[in-house]
Amino acid sequence: MSGSTDVDVVVVGAGVAGLTAATTLAPHRRVLVVSAGAGSTRWAQGGIAAAVGPGDTPEQHAADTLEAGAGACDPEAVAVLTTEGPGRVADLVAAGARFDRDAEGRLLLGREGGHGRRRILHASGDATGVEVARTLELRARELGVSWLDGRVTGLLVSRGRVVGVDVGGRQVRARAVVLATGGLGHAYPVTTNPTGVTGDGLALALLAGATLVDVEFVQFHPTALWTGAAYGQVPLVTEALRGEGAVLRDAGGEAFMQGRHPLADLAPRDVVARAVHEVMRRDATPYVLLDTRPVADLERRFPTVAAACRAHGVALASVPVTPAEHYLCGGVLTDGWGASDVPGLYAVGEVAATGVHGANRLASNSLLEGLVHGHRVATRLARELPASVVADAELCALAPATACSARARELLGGAGGLVRDGVGLADARRELLARPAPEVAWLVAAAVLGAADVRRESRGCHVRSDEPESRPWWRRRIGVRLDAAGVPRAAAEREEWAA
Ligand code: SIN
């Protein structure tokens, strides 16, 4: 293979984080976006949280983020997110994004779980992701960003540095590779994420020698539409509905969030998901009901939810909902500017662990993180690129999926679901480790189950029935790396989180 560099930077993924990085970098560097599909951004109903309303401040937004994160956020990273957020939202508006406004042109701000006030920008009610994607894709076209459709199936690594990507046999050399591949939804049986979001970025990073952290913190959205499906993507029923007065009820009509948390139906997402799970078990029902009668003008204000209900023959007034995998709070360990611990490899958005989400992401902080960290990694790479590497590179490639992937998904959905326990985790891991394979589903399941097994406490969205308390000793991260045999190994870090 030639030692020349084809582009300066390859961005893998075309969601909010990837396209923010690519469009910010394009005036300064030769950038190539490689994308296998639209990713999760388009599906985001809930919007962008940012302290842009009268009387709101980045400090108040940070306080809510830290509270939701259950003691596991990096306060400095949270301050960066909430302070830089309003500027990045302004950039998006300048690029043409149309957010919902009142008759006087003021931004209409919604409320979602864990937020102490109205702070969420939406577009077309519950179609925020579509507007964000439209704006950034248009900007990328205006700037002439190069684009390659395809799945990155391997990273090129030379002397411990990432120097390019393999796209189904076609190799592209670059001085920096930015992973912006989103989460791991389809590593689980049921998820709100679109098809194709399987955890590729996590697996590629592991194979290249990078460290993952916080991957036991998998967020289950409390209100996915119950469709009866045992596999695949299920529609989201946005939390913004509860922000406008919708109430969760059990089969007997009781509003069961009252008395469980001071914010009741607007408690942080982990609290609501746990309560829904408990009620479903207690009543032996596969769903609870979201009573939307208090929400005025629902069909006009929440067209995406209304269309999903219609498509599934569900009455809008009382929507059957159930928790489903939604978001990975951890990911590839990065510094505040997107760099992983492998030279040449960067990560932004859901695939990255910047420390802002801790053990439970605050609602609508994910599009914001994509904007802020997409911009940050671009700023860094515009300033300075890693040195060019001329030596031959080795290909660290994902193996094609086999039947083993389906089993890995079942094991992760069972033992790594909303409520976990040590026996289930150990059994699932034993079965997985009996057949190591560099397939995405296998690597991702082994990483998440390993980290969940090591964390012997409950915190945020990591809930263990055998360890129900949060413990001070566990105020530290769990890192996952591949061992010499290619098996993800999880271990607690020595250092504690900043208090
Ligand atoms: C929602 O609309 O409920 C989801 C928003 C998010 O995941 O932050």
Side-chain angles (χ1 to χ4, degrees):
M1 189 179 62
S2 122
S4 70
T5 326
D6 300 319
V7 295
D8 294 323
V9 180
V10 169
V11 176
V12 187
V16 59
L19 287 188
T20 301
T23 53
T24 310
L25 253 181
H28 311 281
R29 303 287 183 197
R30 294 170 303 154
V31 185
L32 172 71
V33 172
V34 184
S35 155
S40 297
T41 296
R42 271 186 178 277
W43 295 86
Q45 295 181 12
I48 304 180
V52 294
D56 200 1
T57 59
E59 289 73 27
Q60 292 175 63
H61 184 185
D64 289 344
T65 301
L66 293 167
E67 172 74 22
C73 299
D74 172 348
E76 262 178 52
V78 171
V80 164
L81 179 80
T82 60
T83 307
E84 295 185 8
R88 298 294 77 81
V89 169
D91 291 349
L92 201 59
V93 170
R98 295 181 294 247
F99 292 109
D100 296 342
R101 293 177 185 269
D102 66 14
E104 274 78 51
R106 288 178 297 244
L107 284 167
L108 279 172
L109 298 175
R111 185 148 177 220
E112 290 175 8
H115 288 275
R117 58 182 301 140
R118 288 185 171 266
R119 169 180 298 137
I120 323 290
L121 292 92
H122 286 99
S124 302
D126 58 6
T128 314
V130 174
E131 179 61 9
V132 170
R134 182 196 69 79
T135 306
L136 290 172
E137 284 166 14
L138 185 64
R139 185 86 190 113
R141 275 199 298 278
E142 284 166 0
L143 289 165
V145 172
S146 306
W147 200 292
L148 177 62
D149 288 323
R151 178 174 178 226
V152 169
T153 44
L155 293 177
L156 304 174
V157 179
S158 177
R159 299 182 188 162
R161 310 176 73 89
V162 170
V163 295
V165 297
D166 182 272
V167 188
R170 173 170 173 187
Q171 299 195 339
V172 181
R173 299 280 297 227
R175 288 173 62 180
V177 173
V178 180
L179 298 173
T181 49
L184 50 60
H186 288 267
Y188 276 82
V190 178
T191 175
T192 62
N193 296 182
T195 312
V197 178
T198 52
D200 281 18
L202 303 169
L204 289 166
L206 276 174
L207 290 175
T211 304
L212 311 184
V213 291
D214 293 347
V215 291
E216 67 278 26
F217 298 129
V218 177
Q219 185 172 73
F220 292 80
H221 197 289
T223 61
L225 184 67
W226 182 78
T227 62
Y231 287 98
Q233 184 186 3
V234 288
L236 186 70
V237 178
T238 178
E239 194 159 295
L241 278 163
R242 280 176 277 130
E244 298 303 324
V247 174
L248 286 161
R249 296 190 186 278
D250 66 14
E254 192 202 331
F256 59 82
M257 283 311 298
Q258 299 297 327
R260 286 183 190 251
H261 189 278
L263 292 172
D265 287 86
L266 283 178
R269 200 167 277 175
D270 58 325
V271 177
V272 183
R274 253 189 334 267
V276 170
H277 180 85
E278 249 174 68
V279 168
M280 282 167 41
R281 284 194 66 154
R282 184 196 69 196
D283 297 349
T285 52
Y287 54 78
V288 296
L289 294 165
L290 186 68
D291 175 1
T292 64
R293 287 171 302 173
V295 183
D297 207 7
L298 191 153
E299 293 216 39
R300 185 186 62 78
R301 291 164 71 203
F302 295 94
T304 311
V305 172
C309 289
R310 265 196 304 276
H312 289 274
V314 163
L316 263 182
S318 183
V319 181
V321 290
T322 184
E325 192 288 331
H326 182 60
Y327 190 86
L328 177 64
C329 299
V332 180
L333 175 66
T334 59
D335 66 11
W337 297 88
S340 77
D341 55 0
V342 173
L345 185 65
Y346 300 76
V348 286
E350 188 173 349
V351 71
T354 59
V356 299
H357 303 310
N360 176 53
R361 176 177 63 88
L362 182 67
S364 285
N365 266 356
S366 50
L367 291 179
L368 184 72
E369 191 197 23
L371 292 172
V372 168
H373 283 277
H375 188 271
R376 284 195 140 223
V377 78
T379 305
R380 173 191 203 132
L381 293 174
R383 216 171 34 225
E384 187 183 15
L385 279 177
S388 175
V389 174
V390 291
D392 277 351
E394 168 202 357
L395 175 61
C396 296
L398 300 170
T402 64
C404 173
S405 286
R407 183 63 187 145
R409 195 173 301 128
E410 276 172 18
L411 290 172
L412 186 58
L418 198 147
V419 178
R420 303 144 177 200
D421 68 69
V423 173
L425 288 164
D427 285 352
R429 270 171 48 72
R430 199 170 308 114
E431 183 178 335
L432 264 184
L433 299 194
R435 283 190 294 166
E439 296 174 28
V440 175
W442 186 90
L443 287 166
V444 169
V448 174
L449 292 170
D453 193 20
V454 168
R455 183 170 290 285
R456 300 230 161 85
E457 65 160 358
S458 291
R459 187 181 291 277
C461 52
H462 170 68
V463 183
R464 284 192 49 160
S465 57
D466 55 340
E467 301 282 357
E469 307 296 328
S470 296
R471 297 183 197 286
W473 192 85
W474 281 105
R475 291 184 55 81
R476 63 191 76 225
R477 288 181 137 175
I478 292 169
V480 181
R481 294 175 192 85
L482 280 199
D483 69 10
V487 173
R489 296 285 172 199
E493 306 273 302
R494 262 206 280 271
E495 265 179 46
E496 296 206 359
W497 291 315

